[in-house]
Amino acid sequence: MISQLFVLSQRGDNIVFRDYRGEVQKGTAEIFFRKVKFWKEDGQEEAPPVFNVNGVNYFHVKIVGLLFVATTRVNVSPSLVLELLQRIARVIKDYLGVLNEDSIRKNFVLVYELLDEVMDFGYVQTTTTEVLKSFVFNEPIVVDAAHLSPLGPAGLFMQGTKRMPGTAVTKSVVANEPGGRKREEIFVDIIEKISITFSSSGYILTSEIDGTIQMKSYLTGNPEIRLALNDDLSIGRGGGSTYDYRGSFGSGAVVLDDCNFHESVRLDNFDVDRTLSLVPPDGEFPVMNYRMTQEFKPPFRINALIEEAGAPKAEVILKVHAEFPSSITANTISVQMPLPKYTMRASFELEPGAVGQTTDFKQANRRLEWNLKKIVGGSEHTLRARLTFSQESHGNITKESGPVSMTFTIPMYNASKLQVKYLQIAKKSGTYNPYRWVRYVTLSNSYVARM
Amino acid sequence: MAPPAQTVRSSSPSQPSGKGEVSDLKLQLRQLAGSRAPGVDDSKRELFKKVISYMTIGIDVSSLFGEMVMCSATSDIVLKKMCYLYVGNYAKVNPDLALLTINFLQRDCKDDDPMIRGLALRSLCSLRVANLVEYLVGPLESGLKDSNSYVRMVAVIGVLKLYHISASTCIDADFPATLKHLMLNDSDTQVVANCLSALQEIWSSGAATSEEASRERETLLSKPVVYYFLNRIKEFSEWAQCLLLELVAKYVPADSSEIFDIMNLLEDRLQHANGAVVLATIKVFLQLTLSMTDVHQQVYERIKAPLLTLVSSGSPEQSYAVLSHLHLLVMRAPYIFSSDYKHFYCQYNEPSYVKKLKLEMLTAVANESNTYEIVTELCEYAANVDIPIARESIRAVGKIALQQYDVNAIVDRLLQFLEMEKDYVTAEALVLVKDLLRKYPQWSHDCIAVVGNISSKNVQEPKAKAALIWMLGEYSQDMQDAPYILESLIENWEDEHSAEVRLHLLTAVMKCFFKRPPETQKALGAALAAGLADLHQDVHDRALFYYRLLQYDVTVGERVVNPPKQAVSVFADTQSSEIKDRIFDEFNSLSVVYQKPSYMFTDKEHRGPFEFSDELGNLSIGTESVDTTVPVHKVEANDKDLLLSTTEKEDTRGPINDGAYSAPSYDGSLVSLAAPQTQPEVATSNPSVKEHSQSSFAIDDLLGLGLPAAPAPAPSPPSLKLNSKAVLDPSTFQQKWRQLPISLSQEYSVSPQGVSALTTPQVLLRHMQTHSIHCIASGGQSPNFKFFFFAQKAEESSTFLVECIINTSSAKAQIKVKADDQSASQAFSSLFQSALSKFGTA
């Protein structure tokens, strides 16, 4: 039983505000925003997604800088409300093509139409994009996507863009193409997030891949689809409780710890031939989420060293080696390293002939930042930095710096080797041949090397 | 048309800004109202959008009500929807004008287009104006019968809205019965789900006053209804599935084969991508298997992987909600998760609320085999840039040290922290070293050597300073400089802002004085003088107390201040096991995230379907066959009674968390801690000790009242044999207590010896234990005590449960017995009575 639902901008303005039950006092949006903004005086801690102020429970999720908020006085399931907020955001995005403050402001009446049907008196009615289609009468006003690269898959993997597949398709499920008729197409994205912690000696302490097979369908008539995964895929390694690296790496078999599936997925043949069949609903949704702790080859090796170079100075050497094939290029790489708190200045020396690399020393939090536009597979890059300290005597500089963390995007690469071997669409006629896009991308989640 | 958010920032309706615009809009709307000109709908749309956007940002546009209604005569559905939205928002404050809308809404309720019918009915029911309810009944009646499921869906929720405006109108129109019929017969699953939501709300709020409502609410939990839902669960939307699962979690199956059937049926729900469905399913599994220890443990193993997957997929917010539940399970059964510790390692980019949960989990799962790795990992965090987390990590290392037997390596790590020379690390480490020494005095030599090197000038935080001072006092014989450090601290008495530190300083200098009198005498004099002049009451009083103590007898003083100490074996848990059980009962609710049972943060009517005592009232015992579609149930008188007793329980428990109704194991630790030798010193040491002492004082006071007991005639022993080693965990007890009917209710007299011996609950439970009757929870103070006992037959696992209330002033004991084997209740009761009658005679 949700009482109110609202969307706030980064500055705390109401963009949409819907009260379903009239049980919570006015001004909740302000109370909420103040609480989130000033959660702890030092600003060090973020407000948790759920909190209670004077008997009112506030739930929020942050999406593209917007705050999607629900309130209630009832002791409800937090998972349900947070899932719902996330889902509402996704449905809105399905309709508007692009989800941001501008698109919601331009289409707020349409958003109200959606919110009216998604919930009644605080009870969820439906969150299915296509069911909602029959209730939405406003035409979406498409926001200017010019600053985003052109539509279609070709633009998605352009170097240097921060956009991810899946989120990159900026087409509304209801709007028609400028040409008049809708283009029949379906996108399947295999998105993997990597977490690795390297010890100071370069040994892998923990590693995990969290993957999603995400689908976005623009097919009319909802034909049935079959997705075939690796034949040798196996699931479950002792209930996921073991973390050992039995030498399955190299043998080619993909072993997932665990996975879950979207409602529409039928697993009748999954045990036999690893195929998933489903009638995809409109819009974007995760077909399958999976988790893998099996050993895999990390895409990058990081070497970090800090050495005294005659008090009060020190030198930092950062090396990043790309372990993936040279046909693949990672982009938007950023390497960060906290430095001792008495660091005053840092001067940088890039490798000769470096292109598209920038460096920065963030004075406020004593942090070194090294950004690279792209890294080609197999290559190695080095950064040297000279630090000047404010005092001559200091503690152990290695202990007081690091850990080095790294963020990156690697299109057309997946570390788990999980594959969609084919994507079969039930044919309506001989000439029916929709576009199918199967794309892979690997992102960093927590990629850390200790000093 | 975007809301002009930049120009109007305030969302307060009283804000004058926007007034001009509103009157402008009013004029424009008037002009359009009667117009039939082509394109007028487009202009109206623009104006309506403006109105709604003002409404959104909080400008009061209620003055446009009349004009909006006038413009509502349109066939344009977008316009209609905006108008409905507006009317729904402002009808409540304009009840008179709301009447104007009734007409067109009622007309739309009869429209040919089912969507218009549905929309109009929804808006009609959303007006929330009490004197308009008469207009709702008709449209709702036809809406519930509508051929279109969308209209029925809206109508069902409409009934609930009507109930909230006027419950009597809703009941008089017999709507609940109609909903019940729809719930069991409608073909559309969302209509069915809405009926269930509506009926749950209607009957729950009526249950307090109406027998019938509470009876009806119980039928929702009857086997036919639950099976009807279970068999169709996959046809429902994922959200409705959550609703159904929540209902199933409260169902009490008749036997274990039923339990396994339900679990097999729901097994694949654990693979759902929606975390809410998975958690709701897990709740069902956990609740169903509460009384089957082995299976319950298997459930933990089974749900581990799906929970971990949910934690790592989805947004940070979603994973936090799941992680909170995982945290609860880990804290309940750490040994099951001890090999998964790597999953609880923190990632550098996680928000601190996630890291905090993970640190607690790491602390809980640490055992002999993984401690080394966990502590190594925690030490990495101690150097973290995120200072609060660094602190928590050090505390975690300390907690692990306190719960391990082999602390060798950990002590070394802690001492390394002290050498890191970061203020906050030193501060945290000092507090820890102090706790460690209280538990493992044998380590004092190593620790003191390092602590002695710390300059007290580098320690500023009161807690750390207090810890350092405590060590200086306690180990002054081993620390060369102790008297002088204390002396310099006393010299700066005026600058010491924390009363806690000043109190510790007084005690420490006293201790030091008894160990090294000549060196400390001067400092002691200065401290007592400063203390006597202190404005803080406690500091003043303690200084005065020490002063008089020394004046009275120095040797007595020494015994008070420096008694032989016993190592602390267990530090008190911050939460009683009963509170933890309560939170566990409220699995998949906010209670888990807040780590508090719902009564602590929610008022009575908002505890939702999860509320504990609510649940008790809901329970039914029955095994009707599945084919009866409309089952009838009798309220068991004892269930209501039980409801009462738990609310009482809640009231007594509110402010004092421990003591009142704690499980015996917890009490045991308290009693052992209440060792008198720590008492005189207790008030001066750290807060965790204070917690013990408060309860122990209470116990001691009561113990002091104990009177010598006289023998009483012993009744002949009955034939029933009980198992002296019976075990039952509290949650199973709770589950059974809810399930079973009262088989016997009796009142005994308690002998005068018994009355006088019953000074605390603990004495009676020890006595009963010698008669193979075990206590699961107890509480109360003279003259009223309350106990929950259990016993098991010697030969079979047939259990007896007893609630026993003893009033010592009337010398009466009221007992209620529930039993697996009801035929044996009488025999058990006489056994219980005979055991009770011997109380006080030993």
Side-chain angles (χ1 to χ4, degrees):
Chain A
M1 284 142 276
I2 287 161
S3 219
Q4 301 165 319
L5 207 146
F6 45 91
V7 181
L8 297 184
S9 75
Q10 238 155 356
R11 295 176 305 279
D13 306 322
N14 282 352
I15 307 180
V16 281
F17 186 99
R18 185 79 176 86
D19 194 323
Y20 290 101
R21 289 180 70 103
E23 302 174 317
V24 174
Q25 75 272 30
K26 295 263 180 288
T28 42
E30 271 183 36
I31 295 169
F32 165 79
F33 191 69
R34 204 168 303 142
K35 195 84 191 167
V36 165
K37 209 166 169 192
F38 306 108
W39 183 252
K40 283 271 154 76
E41 295 114 58
D42 57 7
Q44 280 232 11
E45 275 178 53
E46 237 180 291
V50 186
F51 55 83
N52 181 305
V53 182
N54 294 329
V56 179
N57 302 298
Y58 295 84
F59 301 79
H60 75 281
V61 299
K62 277 186 208 147
I63 300 165
V64 292
L66 299 169
L67 292 159
F68 286 74
V69 191
T71 65
T72 178
R73 284 187 179 278
V74 182
N75 187 17
V76 293
S77 156
S79 247
L80 187 134
V81 180
L82 294 168
E83 289 271 353
L84 178 68
L85 289 173
Q86 204 76 38
R87 194 68 59 85
I88 288 173
R90 206 165 76 200
V91 170
I92 295 174
K93 183 178 165 245
D94 282 343
Y95 277 86
L96 305 185
V98 181
L99 183 67
N100 59 28
E101 184 174 342
D102 191 31
S103 70
I104 297 191
R105 280 194 191 278
K106 284 209 168 80
N107 292 287
F108 74 102
V109 180
L110 191 156
V111 175
Y112 272 123
E113 278 191 286
L114 287 172
L115 292 184
D116 262 354
E117 301 302 333
V118 165
M119 259 197 288
D120 195 4
F121 208 50
Y123 290 102
V124 188
Q125 302 298 303
T126 179
T127 51
T128 320
T129 299
E130 64 204 283
V131 174
L132 287 165
K133 265 186 188 168
S134 47
F135 300 108
V136 172
F137 292 88
N138 280 286
E139 287 276 324
I141 301 161
V142 182
V143 297
D144 182 25
H147 61 285
L148 309 168
S149 48
L151 290 182
L156 292 173
F157 291 84
M158 276 177 27
Q159 302 297 341
T161 59
K162 278 203 172 159
R163 295 184 300 122
M164 301 310 151
T167 59
V169 187
T170 58
K171 199 163 75 167
S172 162
V173 288
V174 283
N176 286 326
E177 297 275 286
R181 60 182 280 275
K182 278 175 74 172
R183 187 152 117 142
E184 293 282 313
E185 55 188 343
I186 181 162
F187 298 86
V188 178
D189 296 326
I190 294 89
I191 304 167
E192 293 190 345
K193 290 185 292 180
I194 298 190
S195 299
I196 290 190
T197 308
F198 296 100
S199 73
S200 50
S201 50
Y203 165 77
I204 296 177
L205 288 170
T206 59
S207 64
E208 178 166 314
I209 296 176
D210 301 314
T212 301
I213 301 181
Q214 190 155 293
M215 193 177 267
K216 192 160 191 178
S217 161
Y218 294 95
L219 303 177
T220 48
N222 301 89
E224 185 178 312
I225 283 179
R226 278 158 59 84
L227 273 181
L229 307 178
N230 311 36
D231 301 330
D232 53 4
L233 174 73
S234 60
I235 293 163
R237 19 189 319 171
S241 60
T242 45
Y243 226 100
D244 60 327
Y245 301 108
R246 265 170 291 158
S248 42
F249 172 58
S251 71
V254 177
V255 185
L256 304 180
D257 290 44
D258 184 52
C259 57
N260 61 39
F261 302 95
H262 186 260
E263 263 211 312
S264 63
V265 177
R266 288 202 318 279
L267 298 168
D268 307 346
N269 284 328
F270 189 68
D271 287 335
V272 186
D273 58 4
R274 297 297 180 211
T275 56
L276 309 169
S277 50
L278 67 154
V279 175
D282 285 354
E284 185 181 300
F285 67 100
V287 176
M288 168 179 168
N289 298 306
Y290 56 92
R291 182 165 56 80
M292 187 179 110
T293 49
Q294 182 193 21
E295 189 182 346
F296 61 91
K297 197 173 186 179
F300 292 102
R301 289 270 172 193
I302 306 170
N303 263 319
L305 193 68
I306 181 164
E307 275 179 339
E308 285 203 50
K313 285 187 191 323
E315 188 182 39
V316 174
I317 302 170
L318 274 176
K319 265 201 188 96
V320 171
H321 188 262
E323 305 267 292
F324 44 86
S326 56
S327 56
I328 287 167
T329 305
N331 55 42
T332 51
I333 302 104
S334 172
V335 183
Q336 312 218 346
M337 175 176 163
L339 300 172
K341 64 172 192 266
Y342 37 78
T343 310
M344 293 292 288
R345 278 189 307 278
S347 64
F348 298 98
E349 185 191 322
L350 288 169
E351 59 208 349
V355 181
Q357 297 188 20
T358 58
T359 53
D360 196 6
F361 171 61
K362 300 267 188 236
Q363 185 79 39
N365 46 16
R366 306 289 197 293
R367 190 189 288 269
L368 174 162
E369 258 188 43
W370 177 25
N371 299 307
L372 298 96
K373 256 194 174 147
K374 58 178 178 180
I375 295 182
V376 178
S379 64
E380 186 178 85
H381 297 274
T382 311
L383 173 74
R384 285 165 191 279
R386 257 173 258 287
L387 311 181
T388 311
F389 297 148
S390 61
Q391 63 206 58
E392 300 238 343
S393 71
H394 44 71
N396 183 335
I397 51 171
T398 310
K399 262 197 175 155
E400 291 185 47
S401 46
V404 178
S405 60
M406 188 172 177
T407 58
F408 52 81
T409 305
I410 317 175
M412 299 323 286
Y413 175 79
N414 72 331
S416 73
K417 299 199 161 58
L418 180 86
Q419 282 182 322
V420 172
K421 305 201 69 173
Y422 62 84
L423 167 63
Q424 199 176 61
I425 303 171
K427 287 206 172 175
K428 285 188 285 197
S429 69
T431 55
Y432 181 71
N433 196 13
Y435 295 92
R436 305 154 217 212
W437 309 102
V438 179
R439 305 171 301 183
Y440 296 85
V441 68
T442 293
L443 312 170
S444 56
N445 184 19
S446 165
Y447 209 87
V448 172
R450 290 186 174 149
M451 302 285 295
Chain B
M1 184 63 234
Q6 279 86 343
T7 52
V8 191
R9 290 292 298 274
S10 167
S11 57
S12 146
S14 57
Q15 187 79 10
S17 63
K19 266 226 171 102
E21 288 91 329
V22 174
S23 50
D24 233 32
L25 277 174
K26 198 179 183 116
L27 217 69
Q28 288 174 283
L29 281 169
R30 270 213 186 127
Q31 285 167 354
L32 291 178
S35 166
R36 293 250 181 276
V40 69
D41 277 351
D42 288 342
S43 336
K44 277 188 192 171
R45 274 196 191 190
E46 283 311 310
L47 285 178
F48 274 35
K49 271 192 189 178
K50 239 181 222 170
V51 174
I52 303 286
S53 79
Y54 283 173
M55 189 176 91
T56 300
I57 56 175
I59 296 175
D60 186 2
V61 282
S62 60
S63 58
L64 302 175
F65 205 95
E67 286 73 19
M68 288 293 282
V69 174
M70 277 196 281
C71 283
S72 62
T74 172
S75 54
D76 184 300
I77 195 155
V78 175
L79 272 180
K80 257 190 207 298
K81 283 181 139 188
M82 284 195 272
C83 188
Y84 292 154
L85 181 66
Y86 174 88
V87 167
N89 240 338
Y90 288 114
K92 203 176 177 187
V93 289
N94 284 307
D96 300 336
L97 286 167
L99 191 61
L100 295 174
T101 62
I102 293 282
N103 220 339
F104 83 84
L105 285 174
Q106 274 189 327
R107 197 177 57 232
D108 284 353
C109 283
K110 297 191 181 106
D111 200 280
D112 288 338
D113 183 349
M115 182 158 329
I116 306 265
R117 291 203 297 276
L119 287 172
L121 186 58
R122 188 159 67 206
S123 305
L124 192 60
C125 298
S126 302
L127 294 179
R128 289 181 221 156
V129 179
N131 54 12
L132 298 181
V133 288
E134 51 185 303
Y135 299 100
L136 299 187
V137 178
L140 275 176
E141 269 170 351
S142 37
L144 290 171
K145 288 188 215 116
D146 202 288
S147 59
N148 185 288
S149 62
Y150 176 68
V151 184
R152 292 200 301 280
M153 226 168 83
V154 169
V156 172
I157 295 293
V159 168
L160 182 57
K161 291 174 184 167
L162 171 63
Y163 181 83
H164 279 270
I165 309 166
S166 164
S168 58
T169 315
C170 183
I171 304 293
D172 291 347
D174 210 16
F175 280 137
T178 318
L179 293 197
K180 191 165 153 187
H181 180 78
L182 269 182
M183 179 178 82
L184 298 170
N185 296 292
D186 204 285
S187 57
D188 185 278
T189 51
Q190 194 54 46
V191 174
V192 173
N194 283 357
C195 286
L196 178 59
S197 306
L199 288 176
Q200 276 185 334
E201 221 182 290
I202 290 173
W203 284 334
S204 297
S205 82
T209 50
S210 148
E211 278 278 317
E212 198 199 337
S214 66
R215 197 160 51 233
E216 288 289 1
R217 192 171 58 157
E218 270 187 60
T219 62
L220 289 178
L221 283 169
S222 64
K223 187 168 175 176
V225 176
V226 169
Y227 275 48
Y228 162 77
F229 286 134
L230 274 175
N231 288 327
R232 300 176 66 189
I233 194 160
K234 280 162 208 172
E235 300 163 32
F236 285 78
S237 80
E238 52 201 305
W239 313 108
Q241 287 184 16
C242 296
L243 182 74
L244 301 185
L245 289 168
E246 201 54 59
L247 184 81
V248 177
K250 283 186 245 161
Y251 171 67
V252 182
D255 52 44
S256 57
S257 72
E258 220 188 309
I259 292 176
F260 291 121
D261 285 349
I262 294 175
M263 286 177 35
N264 286 328
L265 182 77
L266 296 177
E267 166 74 21
D268 64 350
R269 299 294 89 192
L270 292 174
Q271 278 199 337
H272 205 287
N274 186 329
V277 174
V278 178
L279 283 178
T281 310
I282 288 176
K283 179 169 188 181
V284 173
F285 280 34
L286 291 174
Q287 290 289 332
L288 288 182
T289 57
L290 269 182
S291 52
M292 311 156 86
T293 321
D294 292 355
V295 190
H296 195 63
Q297 184 154 341
Q298 281 171 30
V299 168
Y300 273 76
E301 295 284 352
R302 172 67 188 87
I303 62 186
K304 216 192 263 182
L307 280 173
L308 289 170
T309 305
L310 286 174
V311 168
S312 49
S313 59
S315 68
E317 295 90 357
Q318 287 159 301
S319 78
Y320 170 67
V322 179
L323 193 70
S324 304
H325 286 82
L326 188 60
H327 175 263
L328 174 79
L329 298 176
V330 167
M331 296 321 236
R332 257 186 110 74
Y335 55 96
I336 294 181
F337 296 90
S338 55
S339 55
D340 302 291
Y341 62 96
K342 284 197 180 180
H343 290 289
F344 311 141
Y345 283 1
C346 298
Q347 298 182 343
Y348 81 101
N349 50 359
E350 280 170 334
S352 31
Y353 51 79
V354 168
K355 286 182 180 163
K356 273 186 192 151
L357 286 180
K358 287 190 162 178
L359 289 176
E360 283 179 36
M361 286 150 87
L362 279 174
T363 313
V365 299
N367 63 11
E368 286 88 13
S369 57
N370 59 22
T371 294
Y372 179 77
E373 287 185 69
I374 291 179
V375 171
T376 308
E377 180 75 11
L378 287 171
C379 291
E380 288 286 339
Y381 307 155
N384 206 298
V385 275
D386 183 350
I387 292 175
I389 291 304
R391 284 173 180 274
E392 296 275 351
S393 310
I394 299 169
R395 273 175 229 155
V397 173
K399 276 188 206 147
I400 293 175
L402 290 175
Q403 74 197 17
Q404 295 292 316
Y405 297 101
D406 175 30
V407 283
N408 232 326
I410 305 180
V411 171
D412 280 350
R413 305 283 181 90
L414 277 179
L415 296 178
Q416 279 173 22
F417 286 149
L418 287 177
E419 289 160 353
M420 267 172 73
E421 291 178 26
K422 284 192 181 180
D423 297 350
Y424 59 90
V425 175
T426 310
E428 290 297 337
L430 274 176
V431 175
L432 279 179
V433 169
K434 177 212 58 184
D435 284 343
L436 211 62
L437 286 176
R438 289 174 54 218
K439 187 166 177 185
Y440 308 105
Q442 66 269 31
W443 287 102
S444 62
H445 194 71
D446 304 63
C447 295
I448 290 314
V450 181
V451 171
N453 291 335
I454 296 171
S455 160
S456 61
K457 291 188 187 67
N458 293 343
V459 182
Q460 287 309 322
E461 290 174 36
K463 273 210 171 346
K465 216 168 183 176
L468 179 64
I469 292 171
W470 182 85
M471 287 186 272
L472 285 169
E474 194 63 36
Y475 298 98
S476 41
Q477 73 279 17
D478 306 324
M479 291 160 94
Q480 186 110 58
D481 296 340
Y484 311 104
I485 300 173
L486 288 172
E487 191 172 341
S488 74
L489 284 166
I490 290 161
E491 274 166 23
N492 295 322
W493 187 276
E494 297 296 320
D495 304 328
E496 186 50 66
H497 297 295
S498 158
E500 189 192 354
V501 173
R502 299 202 299 274
L503 284 169
H504 273 277
L505 206 45
L506 276 174
T507 308
V509 76
M510 275 289 273
K511 286 181 189 166
C512 190
F513 170 71
F514 288 114
K515 286 169 184 156
R516 299 163 70 174
E519 291 162 283
T520 323
Q521 199 174 11
K522 187 172 152 244
L524 179 63
L528 288 178
L532 287 170
D534 203 287
L535 292 175
H536 194 277
Q537 193 66 48
D538 290 349
V539 179
H540 170 80
D541 286 2
R542 188 175 297 177
L544 194 60
F545 169 71
Y546 284 154
Y547 177 72
R548 291 191 178 150
L549 194 64
L550 291 169
Q551 222 172 18
Y552 170 72
D553 185 341
V554 179
T555 47
V556 172
E558 175 158 22
R559 263 185 289 144
V560 169
V561 177
N562 268 346
K565 283 191 192 62
Q566 216 177 42
V568 180
S569 57
V570 186
F571 284 87
D573 221 331
T574 44
Q575 241 173 12
S576 80
S577 60
E578 176 156 356
I579 287 190
K580 287 181 191 161
D581 284 344
R582 211 33 87 128
I583 298 172
F584 180 73
D585 267 339
E586 296 176 342
F587 192 86
N588 195 21
S589 80
L590 287 167
S591 314
V592 178
V593 174
Y594 298 154
Q595 301 183 11
K596 283 178 194 164
S598 56
Y599 70 82
M600 288 189 183
F601 62 90
T602 311
D603 44 61
K604 206 134 197 103
E605 71 263 37
H606 290 116
R607 280 177 211 163
F610 310 103
E611 215 262 318
F612 181 64
S613 54
D614 222 350
E615 242 170 74
L616 292 177
N618 269 335
L619 285 160
S620 57
I621 309 103
T623 45
E624 275 93 340
S625 55
V626 198
D627 46 28
T628 35
T629 35
V630 187
V632 182
H633 259 278
K634 288 252 159 20
V635 185
E636 303 280 348
N638 56 42
D639 273 340
K640 287 185 73 186
D641 191 330
L642 183 58
L643 183 67
L644 230 170
S645 65
T646 41
T647 32
E648 269 173 29
K649 207 162 130 182
E650 195 175 292
D651 291 343
T652 35
R653 226 242 327 256
I656 29 162
N657 278 348
D658 41 359
Y661 276 93
S662 43
S665 59
Y666 182 60
D667 280 351
S669 67
L670 272 183
V671 171
S672 72
L673 274 175
Q677 59 263 46
T678 54
Q679 251 189 52
E681 207 265 334
V682 133
T684 63
S685 47
N686 82 9
S688 60
V689 180
K690 274 182 202 152
E691 273 169 38
H692 303 303
S693 62
Q694 268 159 16
S695 22
S696 64
F697 278 146
I699 290 165
D700 278 10
D701 276 353
L702 290 165
L703 279 172
L705 294 175
L707 293 170
S716 60
S719 57
L720 182 73
K721 285 257 185 312
L722 295 176
N723 176 3
S724 61
K725 292 194 177 94
V727 277
L728 193 70
D729 63 319
S731 44
T732 317
F733 184 93
Q734 232 163 38
Q735 167 110 353
K736 271 189 183 290
W737 186 260
R738 281 183 234 153
Q739 261 172 299
L740 295 168
I742 292 181
S743 58
L744 199 78
S745 180
Q746 275 183 323
E747 189 174 282
Y748 312 135
S749 294
V750 183
S751 68
Q753 296 86 0
V755 168
S756 50
L758 184 62
T759 48
T760 67
Q762 283 73 25
V763 267
L764 180 63
L765 34 123
R766 269 179 241 132
H767 168 81
M768 294 306 273
Q769 200 153 7
T770 60
H771 294 264
S772 304
I773 297 168
H774 308 271
C775 182
I776 193 107
S778 64
Q781 282 184 347
S782 187
N784 285 305
F785 294 92
K786 187 166 174 181
F787 303 87
F788 285 95
F789 291 102
F790 70 92
Q792 267 163 13
K793 280 196 198 170
E795 302 85 5
E796 35 180 326
S797 69
S798 170
T799 314
F800 298 95
L801 311 177
V802 189
E803 180 199 85
C804 172
I805 299 170
I806 299 180
N807 184 302
T808 48
S809 56
S810 64
K812 293 277 190 244
Q814 289 178 312
I815 71 153
K816 291 196 182 99
V817 180
K818 298 190 176 190
D820 285 339
D821 174 8
Q822 303 206 3
S823 62
S825 312
Q826 191 56 55
F828 173 76
S829 166
S830 18
L831 206 141
F832 187 88
Q833 189 178 5
S834 110
L836 190 63
S837 68
K838 288 187 196 128
F839 179 58
T841 60

